[in-house]
């Protein structure tokens, strides 16, 4: 078991306070958006082993079977299949989607062979993900809202500029109707400023009036104010809105559009940095490629809560790349599962890790540890709360 030293990324949307507070450090005034825990080559963690800091990918490359275990090595190759993050979100991320595995492999190979000057696929992996709120108020847009509910929203907004949408969706109230409408929004060679201004005004009025759409319309009005000419605002209007409480989570599958608006969360995902953006960003937007990947199927948002699973609670997900669980070991202690690589993150209080040979490692809030597959018999004890990231079944 080894303490991790984790890199922080300072994207402009990051909060200046959340991650420093979590780590027990003074803020420096700059945005600190993401803390990465894992072995992704773009920004790997370092492992403090034997008094030396070594990048985690180097340790894995030196002894893949010992670090990952034979089952993980056989299934995923000599790489840690998950990436674990902390997100401190001060303002909205881009509206984005991620590819599935087959598409990512083909697109990555095509970009490599074609010598693309601008890259959308820095790796060949899919990127399903699971954000988990670390405090109340993690605000998200995720997936397309069921069309009857969107029609009800349009009726309540009563914005003449959106009246054509209602007819389109009523005539084709499923994925095909949404595909047509979203494609029109993102590919139209017109100025969207007037429509977005109308959305801002109508959403502001509806939010102020209270009722079913208060929180969602406040979010849409905020996006319209921040991005007054970005067609991503109009796509966002078609999406589910939710505010997660501490401990709530979402599974975001390949192709599902999402935008994290505000808050503080942990996030686990397949180890990838493949992102396709629709808008709400100054970064690269590739609309044709995004439309090839986007899942237009409407569905209500399904918020996950951890389910009892032995000595811990687990968030059920339909992928094997990762598994996230919560644990409060208490004074009696809990023996941790072994034979798989895992990252332990203390999110509250303190926890003491004890190995059979007598080695100990204390974790306080914000600190993390890496346990290789060959590190067995470790016991966690103490009044704190751990998030345990590992590989799924």
């Amino acid at each position: 078991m080894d303490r991790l030293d984790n890199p922080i990324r300072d994207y402009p949307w990051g909060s200046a306070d959340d991650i420093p507070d979590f780590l027990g450090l003074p803020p420096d005034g700059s945005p600190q958006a993401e803390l990465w825990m894992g072995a992704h080559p773009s920004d790997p963690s370092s492992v403090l082993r034997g008094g030396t800091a070594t990048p985690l990918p180097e340790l894995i490359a030196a002894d893949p079977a010992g670090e990952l275990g034979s089952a993980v090595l056989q299934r995923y190759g000599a790489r840690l299949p998950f990436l674990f993050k902390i997100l401190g979100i001060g303002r909205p991320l881009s509206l984005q989607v991620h590819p599935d595995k087959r598409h990512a492999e083909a697109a990555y190979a095509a970009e490599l062979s074609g010598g693309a000057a601008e890259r959308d696929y820095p790796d060949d992996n899919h990127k399903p993900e699971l954000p988990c709120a670390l405090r109340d108020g993690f605000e998200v847009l995720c997936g397309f809202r069921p069309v009857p509910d969107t029609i009800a929203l349009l009726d309540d907004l009563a914005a003449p500029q959106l009246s054509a949408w209602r007819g389109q969706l009523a005539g084709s109230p499923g994925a095909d109707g949404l595909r047509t409408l979203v494609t029109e929004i993102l590919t139209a060679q017109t100025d969207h400023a007037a429509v977005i201004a109308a959305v801002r005004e109508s959403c502001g009025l509806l939010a102020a009036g209270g009722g079913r759409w208060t929180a969602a319309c406040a979010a849409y009005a905020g996006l319209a104010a921040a991005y007054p000419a970005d067609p991503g605002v109009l796509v966002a209007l078609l999406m589910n809105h939710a505010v997660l409480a501490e401990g709530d989570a979402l599974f975001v599958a390949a192709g599902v559009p999402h935008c994290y608006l505000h808050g503080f969360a942990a996030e686990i995902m397949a180890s990838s940095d493949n992102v396709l953006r629709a808008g709400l960003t100054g970064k690269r937007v590739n609309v044709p490629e995004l439309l090839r990947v986007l899942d237009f199927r409407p569905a209500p948002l399904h918020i996950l809560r951890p389910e009892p699973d032995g000595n811990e609670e687990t968030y059920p997900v339909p992928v094997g790349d990762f598994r996230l669980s919560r644990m409060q070991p208490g004074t009696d202690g809990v023996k941790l599962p072994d034979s798989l690589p895992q990252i332990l993150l203390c999110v509250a209080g303190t926890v003491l890790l004890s190995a059979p040979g007598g080695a100990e490692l204390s974790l306080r809030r914000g600190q993390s540890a890496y346990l290789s597959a060959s590190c067995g018999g470790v016991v966690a004890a103490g009044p704190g709360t751990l998030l345990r990231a590992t590989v799924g079944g």
Side-chain angles (χ1 to χ4, degrees), residues 9-35:
R9 293 198 156 192
D10 58 352
Y11 302 129
W13 50 260
S15 163
D17 302 309
D18 286 341
I19 290 178
D21 176 71
F22 185 64
L23 298 177
L25 300 173
D28 63 9
S30 65
Q32 298 191 27
E34 296 184 349
L35 182 148

Side-chain angles (χ1 to χ4, degrees), residues 28-389:
D28 63 9
S30 65
Q32 298 191 27
E34 296 184 349
L35 182 148
W36 284 29
M37 296 168 283
H40 193 282
S42 294
D43 226 347
S45 300
S46 291
V47 170
L48 305 180
R49 182 178 294 180
T52 302
T54 304
L56 184 52
E58 290 187 20
L59 289 180
I60 293 172
D63 182 14
E67 298 295 335
L68 302 176
S70 58
V72 172
L73 181 60
Q74 182 176 4
R75 183 172 182 182
Y76 296 101
R79 63 182 181 184
L80 190 69
F82 65 87
L83 176 61
F84 197 23
K85 296 182 180 181
I86 299 295
L87 307 178
I89 302 172
R91 58 189 182 92
L93 281 70
S94 59
L95 177 58
Q96 60 187 255
V97 300
H98 309 300
D100 63 22
K101 178 67 172 169
R102 180 179 297 180
H103 188 94
E105 289 176 342
Y108 175 74
E111 287 187 346
L112 278 183
S113 64
E118 292 187 287
R119 299 285 298 275
D120 292 301
Y121 294 89
D123 56 68
D124 66 352
N125 206 13
H126 64 165
K127 194 173 178 281
E129 60 192 35
L130 180 93
C132 173
L134 291 178
R135 66 170 184 239
D136 292 348
F138 185 68
E139 188 175 14
V140 303
L141 302 175
C142 187
F144 289 111
R145 183 192 299 110
V147 170
D149 290 336
T150 292
I151 290 174
L153 171 61
L154 294 173
D155 288 343
D156 289 348
L157 287 173
Q161 296 85 349
L162 302 177
S163 59
W165 287 18
R166 192 194 191 287
Q168 283 183 260
L169 294 175
S172 184
D176 289 343
L178 284 166
R179 181 186 299 275
T180 298
L181 179 56
V182 171
T183 301
E184 289 177 359
I185 291 169
L186 293 179
T187 60
Q189 301 299 310
T190 57
D191 186 348
H192 295 281
V195 178
I196 292 172
V199 166
R200 180 181 178 184
E201 181 179 4
S202 296
C203 284
L205 291 172
L206 202 54
R212 175 184 180 185
W213 304 109
T214 299
C217 280
Y220 300 138
L223 289 175
Y227 299 95
D230 192 319
V233 174
L234 303 179
V235 177
L237 199 62
L238 304 170
M239 294 170 61
N240 293 298
H241 171 270
V243 180
L244 275 59
E246 181 180 357
D248 288 349
L250 292 172
F251 177 71
V252 184
V256 173
H258 55 286
C259 176
Y260 303 150
L261 300 174
H262 178 80
F264 189 54
E267 184 182 37
I268 190 168
M269 62 196 67
S271 186
S272 172
D273 203 24
N274 288 327
V275 180
L276 299 164
R277 301 173 182 88
L280 312 182
T281 181
K283 294 183 178 181
R284 173 174 165 79
V285 173
N286 184 342
V287 169
E289 180 64 12
L290 176 130
L291 291 173
R292 279 190 281 271
V293 169
L294 193 56
D295 185 347
F296 294 93
R297 291 174 295 179
L301 200 58
H302 179 51
I303 295 176
L304 298 176
R305 294 179 174 86
E307 300 178 354
D309 185 8
N311 293 317
E312 55 188 354
E313 296 180 314
T314 303
Y315 295 92
V317 295
V319 296
D321 304 69
F322 59 81
R323 177 184 184 274
L324 183 67
S325 58
R326 294 173 65 90
M327 177 185 297
Q328 294 177 308
T331 55
D332 292 338
V334 172
K335 183 179 178 182
L336 298 174
D338 51 27
S339 302
L340 292 172
Q342 53 193 307
I343 292 174
L344 306 176
L345 173 67
C346 183
V347 297
T350 59
V351 174
L352 181 66
L353 306 178
S354 303
E360 293 184 338
L361 181 62
S362 178
L363 299 180
R364 57 169 170 77
R365 182 175 183 257
Q367 292 183 324
S368 56
Y370 165 72
L371 276 63
S372 71
S374 56
C375 185
V378 174
V379 173
T385 301
L386 287 176
L387 290 182
R388 191 172 75 89

